[in-house]
Amino acid sequence: MTTRARTAKQIGAIVRRERRRQGLTQAQLGDSIGLRQATVSKLESGEPATQLRTLLDALTALSLEIIIDDRSKSANADLEQLF
């Protein structure tokens, strides 16, 4: 399944949804990548100061990846409705 995201909040929502789907708590995901639960919470809420390495570590732990593609023609409002 491919999910598009254009904002930090949308990426955080994807991480949260997948973490929950896998039955993990924020603390469990944090433990698996060497981060505190509070850091996972900030990532999921789209905090602007989240480091790229933190995001990549979380995606790896959840068996997700980033795919860079040309921006689609769909309106931002349409994309916002997905979350």
Side-chain angles (χ1 to χ4, degrees):
M1 174 179 83
T2 301
T3 304
R4 293 191 183 274
R6 292 184 177 155
T7 68
K9 283 190 174 269
Q10 291 170 343
I11 292 171
I14 292 166
V15 170
R16 180 183 307 108
R17 185 173 47 238
E18 183 61 21
R19 175 186 55 77
R20 288 178 176 169
R21 190 189 71 73
Q22 292 185 25
L24 298 171
T25 65
Q26 289 179 341
Q28 289 169 322
L29 176 58
D31 286 346
S32 73
I33 57 178
L35 297 172
R36 298 176 329 136
Q37 175 274 327
T39 303
V40 174
S41 177
K42 288 179 181 180
L43 169 64
E44 291 183 357
S45 67
E47 291 278 329
T50 300
Q51 294 183 6
L52 183 57
R53 179 180 205 132
T54 299
L55 171 61
L56 294 173
D57 288 348
L59 294 176
T60 298
L62 296 169
S63 298
L64 298 174
E65 64 183 359
I66 294 175
I67 298 173
I68 306 298
D69 197 2
D70 293 333
R71 186 175 282 258
S72 67
K73 300 288 184 192
S74 64
N76 280 339
D78 294 338
L79 195 56
E80 290 292 329
Q81 293 175 11
L82 297 175
F83 301 97

